[in-house]
Every structure is written in structure tokens, then in C-alpha cells.
Amino acid sequence: MSYFSKEELACKHCLKLGKSVDGSYYFDEDFLELLNSIRSDCGFALPISSGYRCTDHPINVQKYDDGKPLGAHAFGLAVDVVVDRKKAHRLLQVALEHGVPRIGVNQKGADRFIHLDCDISLPNPTIWSY
């Protein structure tokens, strides 16, 4: 069972340009299985604000222009989950219990999220704030 649809995990940039969901979706199956386990253990919905990002996605283009690696979203190994307060705390707890090696936290302002990332080619374990 999957709690997540291809539509919510697909590249938002591609979808805005009218590309099909299948043409704008790439997700690592092991990471997706991990996300489903985390969702099940949390017991509440995990709305995704950003899943896969194609190489033409504005965030990836900026990274490339700055000489930085594309990051885990480009390989289907990361999501940004819209969550705050008590649910953010629970998500962090469950993600750590499941061994998520890379976590980013943005819990200020209106656009609060938790970034979950399993790209072990990047420094890990690590946690950062935005």
C-alpha cells in the first residue's frame, strides 16, 4: 500500500509546464517504501510540498549555477513534508527511529516543513535548519 500518489511526488516544475505525471516522476522505490513506513507509524497524513525535482527545476538550476551538487530531490531520494509543531516533533522522532540519515528543519514563518533525505552519497548523518 502506498500513502503517496505519483502526482504529489512528481516534479512540480514539470507539471506546471504540462508534462504528464509519468514523465515528471522518478522516485527511488526503497525510499518510497521507507516513506510509507514512516507515514504508517506517524498515524497522520504527510503532505508533500516537494518530491522529485528534474534537472530543469529552478532550484536545481540555481544549484548548478552556484556550482553545487543537485541534491537528493533530483534522484528521488528526498521529500519536503508540510508539517509543524506537535506533528513535526512526531515526524522527526519516527524518521530518526527509521534511520533517515539526513534531515532538514524549517519551522519558522508560514512555509514550515521537514526535509527527509536518504542520499548517502552526501554527508550523513546530519541535520540542519533553513
Side-chain angles (χ1 to χ4, degrees):
M1 173 187 172
S2 183
Y3 290 100
F4 305 96
S5 69
K6 281 186 174 182
E7 289 82 6
E8 67 184 317
L9 296 173
C11 178
K12 306 291 191 246
H13 171 73
C14 289
L15 294 177
K16 272 187 183 177
L17 295 176
K19 292 185 181 179
S20 72
V21 169
D22 288 332
S24 51
Y25 173 88
Y26 172 77
F27 228 75
D28 181 87
E29 289 300 318
D30 291 335
F31 184 56
L32 182 56
E33 186 176 320
L34 175 64
L35 285 177
N36 279 301
S37 294
I38 290 170
R39 162 57 181 90
S40 179
D41 288 356
C42 280
F44 52 81
L46 301 177
I48 306 297
S49 64
S50 187
Y52 171 67
R53 292 182 191 149
C54 74
T55 55
D56 293 329
H57 189 287
I59 291 174
N60 282 340
V61 170
Q62 183 61 48
K63 285 182 178 186
Y64 178 78
D65 288 346
D66 291 343
K68 297 177 183 174
L70 289 177
H73 285 277
F75 304 102
L77 290 167
V79 292
D80 295 338
V81 181
V82 179
V83 66
D84 64 7
R85 297 175 173 70
K86 186 176 180 179
K87 288 182 178 180
H89 186 275
R90 178 66 180 147
L91 175 57
L92 287 171
Q93 179 184 34
V94 172
L96 289 168
E97 288 171 359
H98 281 271
V100 174
R102 297 175 42 82
I103 298 173
V105 179
N106 180 2
Q107 291 295 292
K108 61 183 185 243
D111 297 322
R112 296 172 187 227
F113 66 91
I114 302 290
H115 171 96
L116 302 178
D117 179 335
C118 283
D119 189 345
I120 58 170
S121 72
L122 297 171
N124 73 89
T126 189
I127 189 165
W128 67 90
S129 62
Y130 292 91

